[in-house]
């Protein structure tokens, strides 16, 4: 199932942000950043599964 380009880019940006925070040992903030993108990504995947291929 293809991932919309905008969502894919948002995931990459947030992942990079979380990596930078982890390098600074800011673990709670890194977890928050990942949490901010995981929920919308999961919802997008669930919606794609419900609606099927387009």
């Amino acid at each position: 199932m293809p991932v919309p380009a905008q969502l894919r880019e948002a995931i990459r940006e947030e992942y990079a942000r979380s990596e930078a925070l982890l390098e600074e040992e800011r673990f709670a903030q890194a977890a928050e950043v990942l949490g901010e993108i995981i929920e919308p990504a999961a919802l997008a995947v669930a919606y794609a599964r419900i609606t099927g291929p387009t």
Side-chain angles (χ1 to χ4, degrees):
M1 127 187 44
V3 176
Q6 186 178 12
L7 178 59
R8 186 173 40 247
E9 186 59 31
I11 291 169
R12 285 183 182 141
E13 289 173 5
E14 294 303 305
Y15 181 78
R17 247 178 84 201
S18 72
E19 285 290 307
L21 289 167
L22 287 173
E23 287 177 11
E24 297 173 9
E25 298 185 3
R26 296 171 60 190
F27 304 113
Q29 292 91 344
E32 277 184 36
V33 167
L34 289 175
E36 290 172 8
I37 197 62
I38 288 171
E39 184 177 356
L43 291 173
V45 169
Y47 179 76
R49 286 188 177 177
I50 290 169
T51 60
T54 55

